[in-house]
Amino acid sequence: MKILAIETSCDDTAIALLEVKKSKFRVLGDTIISQTKIHEKYGGVFPMKAKMAHAKNLVPALLKVLKLKKHHKTIFPEGKIVRVRKILEREPELFDALQERLLNIRPPKIDRIAVTYGPGLEPALWVGINFAKALSILWNVPIVPVNHMRGHFLAPLAESKTIKFPALGLLISGGHTELILAKSPTSCKLLGATRDDACGEAYDKVARILGLPYPGGPHIARLAEKARSQKLTANNSFTLPRPMMHSKNLEFSFAGLKTAVLYLVRKVESTRLPSPERSKSGQGGWKVEQKEKEQIAREFEEAVKDVLVSKTAKALAHMSDMWEIKTLVVGGGVSANTYIMKNLKKLAEKFNIKFLGSSKALATDNAVMIGVAGLYTKAKPLGKIRAVGNLPIEK
Ligand code: KG4
Ligand code: ZN
């Protein structure tokens, strides 16, 4: 079976083509067009700009993945093109690109189109969904609407890894922080989530406070790693809280941690003289020094790690009363963090269960994981497929 996967839930336009044989995946094509440059200046993702960029990027991304050659003339009947135009009436730029570059290529041999329908930014999700619908009409291929978070959870399957069920999933991304129980690839239940900011969001906000670029995760990780490798002695006045670490439930909270970093930075800065350049530019302010940034990044990452390990341990202990959990799967953008993964792996070893994550490329948003989840999802009629911004893991 061949699955074409489309992912536009946030700020990456991603398309992949997967071949599945006996539940083993082979990636035939995979591309991601990142919008980091567009959103960098806002320090976060701007939904309408994301939508516009997806509309611009989808056709080039598809052509890159399918590697199809042009035919000399349009090969689709007018009736289909009219339906496609209607589907894409809110994305005229996408329709134009499709008309110009896709109407003269032969339908590829694919069996289904997997498209993310949530959770995510609705304007961004809609572009991907409408594009999938347009392709579905043109090529007579069914659509399977995929839950983005299930994609993160199942991503390791794309790399020939096996999830033994029941499994516990820790999903840590820019928009979500969730502990889930999965009895099978299609049966997921939420055990606990963040009450406020997601784990990756905390990384991004802290990065912004420290004057680092967006997305902040990899930058914080680099500073923290530097502080650890230099064995800088921990500065006790830099201690940060571990929010909800000892609460009985399986919920998280990261907003307070980010605020604590903000206050800490202000405190450090208040002991400094203003830097002449920044005062001149009217921004006022005092600077935290590089070494201090490294120490703050390390302490922040330590706090995140402590909370994640402790809550996952609580979930494992709690769940093992009812289920014999066989695998701990960690997914989502923050699972690209080596230090956090190393510590979660140790935890899995303690519980004597299998530990799984994916390579860094499949930890952050991509379409391969959507294709994988697409194997385990049922097709739906086009009229029933719509973007659901706050889609829960159960759906
Ligand atoms: O899963 P993802 O690509 O997008 C969402 O579904 O949200 O996650 C993106 C998040 C961002 O917040 C980013 O800062 C974070 O993942 N991230 C990291 C690392 N790489 C990406 N956080 C910590 N350490 C990293 N190495
Ligand atoms: Zn994601």
Side-chain angles (χ1 to χ4, degrees), residues 9-12 148-149 152 172-176 199-204 214-221 301 331-338 340 360 363-366 369:
S9 68
C10 193
D11 60 343
D12 289 305
H148 180 87
M149 298 313 289
H152 276 307
I172 38 182
S173 71
H176 293 80
C199 182
E201 190 180 357
Y203 266 92
D204 296 338
Y214 173 85
H219 298 281
I220 299 271
E301 193 156 278
V334 183
S335 75
N337 187 295
T338 320
I340 285 182
K360 284 192 188 200
T364 46
D365 286 352
N366 63 86
M369 68 183 199

Side-chain angles (χ1 to χ4, degrees), residues 53-65:
H54 289 312
K56 185 164 155 255
N57 295 337
L58 277 167
V59 170
L62 180 75
L63 287 172
K64 197 169 161 203
V65 165

